[in-house]
Structure formats: structure tokens, C-alpha cells
Amino acid sequence: MRLVCFEPKTQSFSFSRHTRPASSSTASPSSTSANESFDFEEAEALILKWNPETSAYGRVTSLFYNDKAEATHYIHCVNMLQKTMHSLISQNSSSPKLILAHNLMQIAMKRLQKEFYQILSMNRAHLNPESVSTRSSTTSRTSFCSDSYDDATAEEDVRQSGDCISEVERVSSEAMADLKSIADCMISNGYAKECISVYTTMRKSIVDEGIYRLNVEQLSASKVNKMHWDVLEFKIKSWLEAVKIAVRTLFARERILCDHVFGASQSIREACFADVSRSGASLLFGFPELVVKTKKSPPEKIFRMIDMYAAIATLWLEIESIFSLDSTTAVKSQAYGLLLRLSESVRTSLLEFVTAIQKGSPKSTANFAGVHSLTVQVMNHLTTLADYSNVLSEIFLDVPPPPRSPLPESYLYSPESDDTTTTETEFSVQMARLILKAYRRENTFTVPVQDFREEIKASLARKITPIYRELYETHRIGLGTVREMREYVTFAPEDVENYMMNLFSKGRASSGNGGNNSCFVKCKKCK
Amino acid sequence: MRILQALQTNLDGKSKQYRDPAWTHLFLMNNVHYIIISVWRFEEKDLYGDDWIQQRRKIVQQHANQYKRNVWAEVVSY
């Protein structure tokens, strides 16, 4: 015969057969009249039985592991004890029974804290929060049922779903349900602090260990600067694998577990998850920042930057969801700031690449007028960049391009897009912007000599208009009808010709200004 | 980013180092041709479009013609 919940007569009978009242009890027989469904003496005996400080049995045995039904009953007794205390306080705040109840409550809370710690310890590697979403209701019901009812429920589950819960999943589900019931009990009885400290200490050590096992280590900027590039590149590739596992498994599961165990209190959920995840996440998202800051600039560095950017961008929705709490705003901000710094770093690297090409010595020639090494290097670089065209497009859309310098002369001869990330639309916008700037610059000068002015205008028109018309016709094929083009392309070839006619005309200053305003308006539409 | 533009500007500068015009055209022909072959291999070659390729082919052909013209000019002058 085993204990059955909520049946006083049976309780009394089984109680008298299996346990004896502690000799230290000072309760009077009339106590039962206060709570008909609650036997104070029984609760006292149960709590003292599991007191780890006075009971050898309680010191070496786990209540939840040993006897689930008794554990459930234990929690019920603790909750009822709290109600009794409230009742006693309203009656007589100096009652000896109240003092006894308070002492019992403290003993019980230490027991529950110990149980909480034991469950977290025993399951540190096995807790799988994803299992709780489908099994929570069953497990929850099982936890609060007697053995006989438990058997019936189990059979019913098998018949209804035909599903088999794996042993590992069952253990994990039960552990999570136990953790939740203990947390609920401790929190509702005023011992949240004791519960939280055990949880955050235990789970934080698991997160930190997980980050360590993923080979994300604490590094200083100076140490990174001293690394050989090969070593650093290896660490970057290791990080690329680590960040996916850390975000999708480690932090995602930690968030689910925390939300489940502390489902009763949102503020506790938030505080616990922040404490558990903060340092690990800071370390994880801190590594790419060190790479960005390093002074090393081998040609391959840009590709690793793009890789890290792509990794964060790919995981962004998950990062945003996991660290969505107010208490983890700092982590989300750190990750977002990282995206910005990486994309800025990529853009800077490309600019430096162009500059390096431009500054290359014109004096070095190729043997026998063959293919120059510069050509090979640049094309190899571009070929690899082409593989990243999707990511690069995103990077260059992040921030509007800085104001460009006036139209360079070389651009007149070869205006075709050679930017691997520029789409036709973007290119047209840039072209329009370039022409506008050139127009404004040229129009600030006045050429008083009629013949000379006409000659210059004709020269500029001959250079720019045919190239623009060629480009316009080329891209029109891909962009559809003229009306559709109007939405993307500000200037038709005729527009360019008309603007050229207004150059250097001081007498038309007012209309020229009007033209400028019109141009600005159109460009704004393009943006 | 005008990487290809910067490259071509640089190559134009290098080509002027040859005193013989034929070598100038040969150098540019070889390098522009290499650029075309590389671009053709881009998975994203649509970014440039066939017209861009065709224009570059014309440039290569022009340099080839100039090279032949200069070489034969020397032969004829003897």
C-alpha cells in the first residue's frame, strides 16, 4: 500500500503504518480543525524526514528521484503549510505553532533547493527543452498523479497516440517538469532568490563550457595582432561553425529551458536568461570585432569578413528572437553593431583594393607583352568576389554610398558597370548622380567667349551623350518599356543633350537654377 | 567599386612603357583577352551582359589589327 493524494482517511491509515510522529512534535491535537484537508502533523513528519541536516536518509537520497509521488505530496504539504502560516498570522502572530511552521518552511526550502540542484546536476548534459513542447501536458499530469492513476494515464497515451516516448526524452521531460514544480513552489513561497542563484550558477557554467568547447576563447586585441594570418584564418573558420551551433542550439535551448522553468514569472525569466547567457554571447560576438580591428590585411581577409557577415546575417532572425528580452538588449545590440562594422570593413577593403590597383607602378611591364601578373591577381580576386555577389549586394545596400567625386575623365571612355555588386537599377541611379554632379560643377563656370563656349559644349556633348545613349539602349532591353524605365532612369539621352546646351550660359542663370532644382527632385525620386 | 576600370587604367599606363607600338597593342590584346576569359567564367556574368563582352572583343580585335599593321609596316619599309 502506497501513499495516495488527497484522501485523509487513507493518509492517516498509511501514515500510522509506515511512519511515526517525531517525538519533538509540540503540536496540539486540535490543530486539524483549522484545515480539514491538511494534516499539520503529517506535513511536519514528512518535512523532518527529508531534513538533510538531521536525517541520514535525507542526506544521501534524492526525494524526486526516489519517489515521485512522495515528492509531489511534499510540495503540496509545503504549499499548504504556507497557507496555514498566513492563517495563523492573522489569528495570533506570536503563536508557538507559527514559529514551528516557519522553521519547517525553512527546512523544506533548503530541501527543495537541494533537490533543484541535484536535478540540474544530474541532467546538465541531457536537458533537451525541445522535448517539452510536445510532452509537457502529459508529464505535468503524471507528476501530480498517484501510481495507480499514472498507470492508467500511460496506457491511455499509448492507445491514443501510438507514439513511443524515447527514454532520453522522457527523462528530460520529467526533469524539466520537476524543475518547474520546485521553482513554482519556492517562488510562490518567497524563496525565489535561493532558487534563482542555484539555477543561474549551474546553467551559466553549462553555457560557458559550451562556448569553450566550440573553441571560442577569450582573446585580447594585441594577441590577435600578433597571430600569424594562417592561425587567425583558422580561428575564423572555426568561429563560423561555432556561431551556428551556439545560436541555434546552445542559446536557443537555454532560452526555452528558462522560459519553461520560470514560466510563472516573466521578470525572473528575463533576469535568469540574461545572467546565464550574457558572458557567453559577449564572447561569441566579440571575436569578429577583434578580427575587424586587427591591422593585418592580406588579400584573403575581405573574404573572411564577408563570411562572418553572412553568418550573422543568416542567423539574424534567430538572434533577434532569442535575445529579444529587455534584459538582453545589450547582446542584440552587440550583434547588430557587428553587422555594421563588418559591412563597413568590407566596403573599406574594396576601396583599398581599387586604390592599390590605381597606384600600381605603370613602369613594370610583362615579359614579351604577355599577361601581366596584376591582371591575373585582379581577375582572381574578382572571380572570388563574384561568388559572394549576393552578400556583397546586401552589404552595399546597407548604407547609401558616400558622395562621389565629379565624373572622372576615364569614366567617359568606359562607363560600363564593373562593380560586381551593382545591379542595373543601382548603376543607373549612380550614373544619374554622377551626371548631375558633373553638370553642377561645369555649370558654375562661365565662358564669355561665344565661339570658345560653343566649342567646349560640343566637345563635352560628343564625349558624354553617345556613351550615355549606348548605355541607355543597352539597359533598356532588360528593363522593359520606356514607361517602366522612367521609374528607374532619371535621364533619357535627350535630357542629357538638353542639359549640355545650358552649360556655361550665364544669361540663362535663372532657368539653369530651375533645371538644377528639377534634377534634384528627380534624383530624390530615384532614391 | 570600379575594380575593372582601375585595372584597365593601370594596364593602359603600363602599355605606354613599350617603345614599339606593336608591343603596346600586343600587351593590351593579351591582357584584355585574359580579362574577357575570366569574366566569362563568372557565375554572375549576367551582371556585365554580353554587350560588355562584345565591346571588349572588339577592343581585342582592334589591338590585334594594330599589332599586325605595325609589324607589316616595318617589313614593307625595307
Side-chain angles (χ1 to χ4, degrees), chain A residues 495-510:
Chain A
D495 299 326
V496 175
E497 286 175 309
N498 291 335
Y499 290 134
M500 293 300 168
M501 297 302 295
N502 288 330
L503 284 174
F504 312 126
S505 304
K506 186 171 185 179
R508 304 184 183 182
S510 60

Side-chain angles (χ1 to χ4, degrees), chain A residues 226-446:
Chain A
K226 289 173 184 172
M227 281 180 189
H228 193 275
W229 168 252
D230 287 351
V231 175
L232 183 54
E233 189 174 35
F234 178 82
K235 286 187 180 299
I236 293 171
K237 291 179 176 178
S238 175
W239 182 90
L240 291 169
E241 290 302 314
V243 69
K244 284 187 286 185
I245 298 171
V247 171
R248 288 178 170 161
T249 302
L250 190 63
F251 290 118
R253 289 184 176 181
E254 213 54 48
R255 173 68 195 270
I256 295 172
L257 175 64
C258 198
D259 285 352
H260 179 73
V261 171
F262 299 107
S265 169
Q266 177 171 340
S267 61
I268 292 180
R269 275 201 316 269
E270 295 205 7
C272 281
F273 182 67
D275 286 345
V276 166
S277 63
R278 184 181 295 113
S279 67
S282 180
L283 202 57
L284 179 70
F285 297 126
F287 173 76
E289 292 183 23
L290 294 174
V291 177
V292 169
K293 291 174 183 172
T294 181
K295 298 183 175 66
K296 301 185 196 311
S297 290
E300 305 83 19
K301 184 179 180 184
I302 186 175
F303 304 121
R304 302 290 83 80
M305 296 299 196
I306 298 173
D307 284 334
M308 290 191 287
Y309 176 93
I312 298 288
T314 301
L315 294 166
W316 180 250
L317 287 182
E318 281 134 309
I319 292 170
E320 201 169 33
S321 173
I322 293 166
F323 298 101
S324 58
L325 306 168
D326 288 344
S327 58
T328 51
T329 296
V331 172
K332 196 169 72 170
S333 295
Q334 185 187 10
Y336 187 72
L338 183 58
L339 275 181
L340 297 184
R341 274 186 286 281
L342 283 166
S343 62
E344 181 182 359
S345 173
V346 168
R347 286 193 295 270
T348 301
S349 294
L350 283 174
L351 273 175
E352 288 170 356
F353 185 55
V354 172
T355 302
I357 297 171
Q358 289 167 341
K359 290 182 176 177
S361 169
K363 292 184 179 299
S364 65
T365 56
N367 291 332
F368 307 108
V371 179
H372 196 278
S373 60
L374 177 67
T375 303
V376 177
Q377 290 165 22
V378 170
M379 298 315 296
N380 285 344
H381 204 74
L382 272 179
T383 302
T384 310
L385 283 173
D387 290 334
Y388 289 99
S389 60
N390 289 338
V391 184
L392 286 167
S393 293
E394 186 177 320
I395 286 174
F396 281 93
L397 285 173
D398 276 352
V399 176
R404 302 253 177 147
S405 59
L407 195 67
E409 180 179 351
S410 60
Y411 206 94
L412 297 178
Y413 303 100
S414 195
E416 297 88 349
S417 169
D418 52 14
D419 186 339
T420 57
T421 65
T422 303
T423 65
E424 290 176 354
T425 300
E426 291 155 11
F427 177 78
S428 298
V429 171
Q430 291 176 23
M431 185 65 169
R433 188 176 291 119
L434 286 170
I435 290 180
L436 175 65
K437 281 188 172 294
Y439 182 83
R440 291 183 61 209
R441 180 192 62 176
E442 296 298 330
N443 212 29
T444 59
F445 301 105
T446 301

Side-chain angles (χ1 to χ4, degrees), chain B residues 20-71:
Chain B
D20 187 338
W23 284 75
T24 296
H25 292 295
L26 183 62
F27 175 78
L28 288 175
M29 182 185 71
N30 284 329
N31 283 269
V32 174
H33 182 257
Y34 185 89
I35 292 171
I36 291 173
I37 296 299
S38 298
V39 169
W40 189 255
R41 292 182 182 135
F42 283 173
E43 295 178 355
E44 308 290 339
K45 69 180 188 293
D46 288 339
L47 285 178
Y48 296 94
D50 284 342
D51 285 336
W52 189 91
I53 300 285
Q54 292 304 325
Q55 289 164 20
R56 287 301 178 276
R57 289 189 185 280
K58 288 180 182 177
I59 293 175
V60 169
Q61 191 60 49
Q62 288 165 12
H63 285 305
N65 292 341
Q66 288 292 332
Y67 172 71
K68 288 187 285 185
R69 189 173 303 120
N70 280 286
V71 169

